[in-house]
Amino acid sequence: MIGGVNMSKPGPLHVDSGHAAALLAQASTLATQHHVDVPGGPVTPPADVAAIRARLAAYDFETARCADDVFADVMDLLRSGMVHTSHPRYFGLFNPAPTWWGVAGELIAAAANPQLAAYPHAWAPVEIERHVLRFLADRLGLPAGSAGSFTVGGSEANQTAVIVALTKHWPDYAQQGVRAVRGRPLLYASAESHLAWVKIAHVAGLGRQAVRLVPVDAAHRMDVDQLRTMLDADRAAGDEPFLLVATAGTTGAGALDPLPELVTLARESGLYLHVDAAWGGSVALSDRLRPLLAGVEAADSVTVDAHKWMSAPMGAGMFLTPHADALSASFDVRTSFMPDAADGTLDPYASSVQWSRRFTGLKVFLSLAGQGRLAFARQLERDVALGELLALRLAERGWVRINATPLPVVCVAEPDVDRGDPGLSRSWHAAVADEVVRRGRAWISSVQLAGRSGLRLCVTSYLTTERDIDLVAGELDACRALS
Ligand SMILES: *Cc1c(COP(=O)(O)O)cnc(C)c1O
């Protein structure tokens, strides 16, 4: 005892293993019950922020409260206070119903709590992640020896691509930053690409104007001729193009940029080619769908999010590159307080954006190990089939398709409204999407594609069935009549 502190036993936060097991059992019961309850309720409950704040005001954290009360409060807040992305009729923004293997992975990763910054601190967790990354790199056809890391999400993976591309293109960038470049460094992505690029360019010190958005063709794929014209003009003006981003599965339309042509162009023009396949990259797990990514094997780097079409709980991005050396050159740093790397291994903190890092890869490893690649392949193929069914049902009801993709994103417009004033069409489709969401039976969004407005529906949940497709089609009709 010093100063009345009992140091002979574990500290005040300690809970014995019997109580810990009971606590986690209670949490699992509530989490599984949540999934039983969600499909029976609205996808989007009405938001009542004042009520939430009033409820939270009761927590001043001065005294401990019993598990039953706290859990009941939290589960109720979650049930009534969020868009239920795990609902079978969430036709949304790639946010999946998580696999239970993935949820179990989150629990075990949190409990073991390895520190993945340094290899010698967590050699088995780092090897587990490496194994999953290698598996994905193989499915994508990237060369043996490809390296990478798990990231929080696609944005961080894409940011990694920009840093690696700059470092590879201009070795002086590492020490001097963009001052090492005489002209303006520019990157090229399609007008339909994920606009995190703008933020990334800002953060990287390139400035938002460094993102050159290339017009798209009628199928919302990057227009390669226009890209050539832009590159020529920018070079003539003294700018320095360095990075070409191909999107394999755009957020709005699910468009796949023409990878083989972009690979050729990138080679000819000495550009680094990054493939942003955050959502679409998962099709690499299906032999039938893998050809949609033809060309990706020649990429300088690739982004894939397991928390999208691999149904991992958020977040689980992945960055892969054949240029392990450029990855190290980009993030290398040594400090006296970190353990030395073991021979032949890459320390995650010295080869990625993050320093302390959680064991993100375990949930993906467990899902693949516990369910097998073929289950993922069949799920992806089934989602594609459900997307085709959805397109058919909406066409039967007189909606006109405004996107073209083999992936399960269906964008449709009301033909009469579509032919009219673009501003009116935009507000009309937004009002229909709002009304569908307000009614709570499904979640959809409105979208603008090359100046045309419509409704966007994406099959994202493994719980979605034919019945849900019919139901959402009915909802669109009901709300079309109201608007
Ligand atoms: C989702 C997505 C991103 C952003 O990824 P986050 O995981 O949300 O950070 C980037 N690009 C594409 C194509 C995406 O679908």
Side-chain angles (χ1 to χ4, degrees), residues 53-65 70 73:
R53 289 190 180 159
R55 201 134 155 201
L56 292 175
Y59 288 84
D60 62 3
F61 305 131
E62 285 305 311
T63 49
R65 296 184 43 173
V70 176
D73 258 355

Side-chain angles (χ1 to χ4, degrees), residues 133-210:
L133 294 168
R134 281 284 164 86
F135 162 78
L136 184 67
D138 282 350
R139 291 296 308 178
L140 290 166
L142 296 175
S146 290
S149 59
F150 275 90
T151 61
V152 170
S155 278
E156 185 195 334
N158 286 347
Q159 181 183 12
T160 304
V162 169
I163 307 298
V164 171
L166 285 166
T167 307
K168 194 162 158 15
H169 205 84
W170 290 289
D172 282 350
Y173 169 80
Q175 296 301 327
Q176 305 296 330
V178 286
R179 287 187 308 158
V181 185
R182 241 177 291 119
R184 283 191 307 166
L186 298 181
L187 67 98
Y188 297 75
S190 92
E192 287 296 324
S193 65
H194 194 284
L195 291 184
W197 292 112
V198 175
K199 232 164 84 171
I200 291 166
H202 183 154
V203 173
L206 301 173
R208 292 169 179 244
Q209 291 179 6

